Amino acid sequence: MTLNDPPIVAEVEPLADLYEKALGENDLQTLDDLFYAGPETVRYGVGENLYGIEEIREFRKKRPGGSPPRDVLRRVITTIGQDAAVVDLEFQRKGGTKIGRQSQTWFRTQNGWKILAAHVSLMADIS
């Protein structure tokens, strides 16, 4: 099994960019399209645990204005073989003092790459 095969990284990287853009624009359709549409999908957020695509969709629809604006501080993409990847990043919300962390597990489906699991958390204040 090969880690970080350049052609596979080149497939995942623009999807991670697309996710970040959609998050910033609160583009619910694109965010939804990037997640695997099944009951196996899990998203742990800063204040919520969501099981299955339906809970994730409902959470997003009810969140006024979407995710708070943020700056990405660091991102690491690790591909595993031809069909799996992990995207981890550190971020800081605009005007905030906490470092956030986001991890996503992606896998290749017959409908393209999809997020199967995601986790977002905030660390303590850095000030």
Side-chain angles (χ1 to χ4, degrees), residues 97-118:
T97 59
K98 295 182 179 185
I99 299 295
R101 299 169 293 187
Q102 174 181 291
S103 295
Q104 299 170 333
T105 303
W106 293 72
F107 76 116
R108 185 191 307 272
T109 73
Q110 52 189 340
N111 297 318
W113 286 92
K114 302 293 179 184
I115 299 166
L116 183 63

Side-chain angles (χ1 to χ4, degrees), residues 8 11-16 18-19 28-38 40-42 53 56-57 60 78 82-87 103-118:
I8 305 304
E11 290 180 29
V12 175
E13 191 170 32
L15 294 170
L18 179 61
Y19 178 89
L28 300 183
Q29 185 61 58
T30 298
L31 291 169
D32 189 54
D33 290 345
L34 291 172
F35 272 74
Y36 180 68
E40 303 85 356
T41 304
V42 174
I53 193 63
I56 295 168
R57 286 176 179 152
R60 285 202 185 105
T78 305
Q82 302 292 304
D83 300 319
V86 179
V87 177
S103 295
Q104 299 170 333
T105 303
W106 293 72
F107 76 116
R108 185 191 307 272
T109 73
Q110 52 189 340
N111 297 318
W113 286 92
K114 302 293 179 184
I115 299 166
L116 183 63

Side-chain angles (χ1 to χ4, degrees), residues 9-88:
V9 173
E11 290 180 29
V12 175
E13 191 170 32
L15 294 170
D17 292 341
L18 179 61
Y19 178 89
E20 196 63 28
K21 180 177 187 287
L23 188 66
E25 295 174 356
N26 199 30
D27 180 347
L28 300 183
Q29 185 61 58
T30 298
L31 291 169
D32 189 54
D33 290 345
L34 291 172
F35 272 74
Y36 180 68
E40 303 85 356
T41 304
V42 174
R43 181 187 175 278
Y44 294 146
V46 173
E48 66 285 338
N49 295 331
L50 306 170
Y51 296 91
I53 193 63
E54 294 304 324
E55 288 186 15
I56 295 168
R57 286 176 179 152
E58 286 305 309
F59 167 76
R60 285 202 185 105
K61 286 179 193 173
K62 292 178 182 175
R63 184 168 58 176
S67 181
R70 67 190 193 174
D71 292 313
V72 174
L73 305 176
R74 183 175 183 176
R75 181 173 77 178
V76 177
I77 296 174
T78 305
T79 63
I80 307 154
Q82 302 292 304
D83 300 319
V86 179
V87 177
D88 295 298

